[in-house]
Amino acid sequence: MEVAAIQKSLKQDLFEGVDFLDIDDLLTEEQILIRSSIRDFVKKEISPYIEDWAQKAYFPYEIVKKFGEVGAFGPQLPVEYGCGGLDYISYGLIMQEIERGDSGMRSTASVQGSLVMYPIYKFGTEEQRKKYLPKLASGELLGCFGLTEPDHGSNPSGMVTNFKDMGDHYLLNGAKMWISNSPKADIAVVWAKNEEGRIHGLIVERGMEGFSTPETHNKWSLRASCTGELVFDNVKVPKENLLPGKSGLGAPMMCLDSARFGIAWGAIGAAMDCYESARRYAAERIQFGKPIGAFQLTQKKLSEMLTEITKAQLLAWKVGKMMNEGKAKTVHISMAKRNNVEMALNIAREARQIHGGMGITGEYPIMRHMMNLESVITYEGTHDIHLLILGNEITGIPAFK
């Protein structure tokens, strides 16, 4: 589909951060420097174009190489594979800044880093690491993650995608749905069952016969990222493309923990952008002879937004510290993902109220963030499933079985 020329916004991105409790005191100089560099990148490469990308449902493929250059892909993985070798709080801050630009842009980066590069690093062979990770880190290759199926979302263990051992190769059949990056991906880390019903990860490459990636159109959400399916029709996968390090559902779940952690930080970025836009608008918009920021109800909204952002920042930082120390569990990450995305969506809705009718236009980022967050609150564990993960931890009784 032909896309009309992208229009660069004339509005300047004036964002300087939201830090009411001096949370920067908890960060290292390196972490602050990393955040600053990504913030500058977003202001230059995403903010001027994102509204038009979203309006035109255009995924700017050129951003992939740019993400690679700025170190946004797999920043928490070792330097020896072309990655950043950074800590998890730095990774979180990178996701926060990118999602302030747009959730779809953060999806592109976090899928690549946490759902493609992470499993290859964690469960792959040294040959697989050397073959794929440097090219994924640089943005030379784009990857995607195939777990969700048309009939198996929150219940991935029921997947029907399968592979058979044919002696010198595996034969892969099945389909995956709602896959970020799939239409443009060079490789897919696909989770499928072997003949014994055990789940394994396989690296499937673009160009393998029988492998196709139909694009999902007419989305109201994440319009600047590309989403699609993965279809496997007797795909011959070389045996060396199996990830041997771990099998079972626990393997993809470990990947999702890493990605959900990034979402917990990223959602803060979207919330901050909505809050800052509302704060500025409330100071400028005159009604009844004074700025609407002078009215009690507007001040209530802004005060609650700032409070919730601050709470989310502390939650994300603490879980990040636990990640660095190897102490974070799935339930901790679930709490942070669930809380912070809900917080961001609530702030987007309140910010839309403050902007009045202007809040539904592309003149302001509010409606775009709101629509994006409707996907973020569902993907990588729905809002309700994360609630039940925590409920299971509290009671010892799994309510989703």
Side-chain angles (χ1 to χ4, degrees):
M1 185 176 71
E2 288 290 320
V3 175
I6 297 299
Q7 300 295 314
K8 184 176 181 180
S9 173
L10 299 176
K11 292 182 76 171
Q12 192 176 358
D13 185 345
L14 301 171
F15 184 76
E16 293 178 1
V18 179
D19 187 10
F20 185 69
L21 277 189
D22 292 331
I23 292 168
D24 278 7
D25 287 351
L26 301 172
L27 305 180
T28 65
E29 285 184 21
E30 182 186 33
Q31 288 164 350
I32 290 171
L33 190 64
I34 288 162
R35 183 186 64 191
S36 179
S37 69
I38 300 296
R39 185 170 293 173
D40 290 344
F41 170 84
V42 169
K43 287 183 177 184
K44 180 186 175 190
E45 301 290 352
I46 296 177
S47 298
Y49 310 101
I50 188 59
E51 300 302 342
D52 213 36
W53 291 341
Q55 289 282 356
K56 291 170 179 168
Y58 172 71
F59 172 64
Y61 184 72
E62 63 276 9
I63 202 77
V64 175
K65 278 275 178 65
K66 292 175 181 178
F67 275 147
E69 289 166 6
V70 81
F73 291 145
Q76 79 283 21
L77 299 178
V79 175
E80 63 190 280
Y81 302 112
C83 305
L86 303 176
D87 72 302
Y88 272 96
I89 291 174
S90 296
Y91 167 63
L93 289 165
I94 291 169
M95 294 302 110
Q96 172 186 287
E97 293 303 312
I98 295 174
E99 189 147 0
R100 188 190 69 82
D102 186 72
S103 301
M105 293 290 100
R106 196 266 310 138
S107 294
T108 300
S110 64
V111 165
Q112 181 95 327
S114 287
L115 299 182
V116 181
M117 296 170 70
Y118 176 83
I120 292 173
Y121 168 70
K122 196 76 176 174
F123 314 132
T125 63
E126 190 60 22
E127 290 73 24
Q128 288 168 341
R129 292 183 194 116
K130 288 177 177 173
K131 178 179 179 180
Y132 296 108
L133 291 181
K135 290 181 178 179
L136 288 162
S138 69
E140 183 181 338
L141 294 180
L142 182 65
C144 65
F145 175 87
L147 180 64
T148 299
E149 297 187 356
D151 295 321
H152 299 281
S154 295
N155 178 28
S157 63
M159 71 173 64
V160 296
T161 299
N162 65 90
F163 65 98
K164 292 184 171 67
D165 190 332
M166 307 303 287
D168 61 344
H169 66 273
Y170 297 119
L171 199 64
L172 179 65
N173 281 284
K176 304 291 182 178
M177 196 173 188
W178 305 120
I179 310 300
S180 292
N181 298 355
S182 87
K184 298 286 187 182
D186 300 290
I187 69 167
V189 172
V190 178
W191 301 94
K193 288 180 177 176
N194 66 8
E195 286 153 290
E196 288 75 48
R198 186 74 178 170
I199 294 170
H200 290 263
L202 299 154
I203 300 170
V204 182
E205 299 182 19
R206 171 82 60 191
M208 288 182 174
E209 191 176 348
F211 174 41
S212 58
T213 58
E215 187 166 0
T216 303
H217 295 291
N218 300 322
K219 297 182 297 178
W220 288 107
S221 181
L222 301 178
R223 288 171 60 81
S225 88
C226 60
T227 309
E229 302 170 44
L230 301 174
V231 179
F232 315 105
D233 182 10
N234 288 325
V235 179
K236 292 180 179 178
V237 180
K239 287 203 163 178
E240 62 265 26
N241 283 30
L242 182 86
L243 298 176
K246 187 174 175 63
S247 64
L249 193 59
M253 290 298 108
M254 284 175 67
C255 306
L256 286 168
D257 275 350
S258 179
R260 290 163 175 171
F261 171 77
I263 292 171
W265 282 85
I268 298 170
M272 286 195 219
D273 204 44
C274 293
Y275 165 76
E276 273 296 289
S277 182
R279 187 184 64 82
R280 293 176 193 276
Y281 189 82
E284 297 164 0
R285 172 68 169 164
I286 307 297
Q287 289 290 280
F288 303 102
K290 57 185 177 182
I292 61 172
F295 294 102
Q296 289 181 4
L297 287 177
T298 304
Q299 291 187 8
K300 177 182 185 289
K301 287 181 170 66
L302 293 170
S303 297
E304 289 175 343
M305 287 182 197
L306 182 58
T307 302
E308 293 305 314
I309 287 170
T310 303
K311 287 155 64 176
Q313 287 172 319
L314 288 167
L315 178 56
W317 176 84
K318 175 58 178 173
V319 176
K321 190 167 181 290
M322 294 172 76
M323 291 282 281
N324 287 340
E325 295 166 354
K327 295 177 180 176
K329 298 177 183 177
T330 295
V331 288
H332 300 132
I333 297 164
S334 275
M335 176 186 277
K337 191 267 185 184
R338 182 179 184 278
N339 179 82
N340 291 8
V341 177
E342 181 178 42
M343 172 276 302
L345 193 48
N346 288 340
I347 283 177
R349 289 168 177 158
E350 288 292 271
R352 214 291 301 156
Q353 295 268 8
I354 289 174
H355 285 76
M358 292 304 293
I360 70 162
T361 72
E363 287 291 304
Y364 297 91
I366 311 303
M367 204 72 178
R368 175 174 51 81
H369 282 305
M370 192 191 303
M371 292 192 300
N372 285 342
L373 288 163
E374 286 291 349
S375 288
V376 180
I377 205 165
T378 292
Y379 72 22
E380 296 189 30
T382 68
H383 196 57
D384 290 348
I385 287 292
H386 283 296
L387 188 85
L388 297 181
I389 288 170
L390 195 55
N392 181 29
E393 178 73 8
I394 294 165
T395 67
I397 307 166
F400 37 73
K401 287 183 181 177

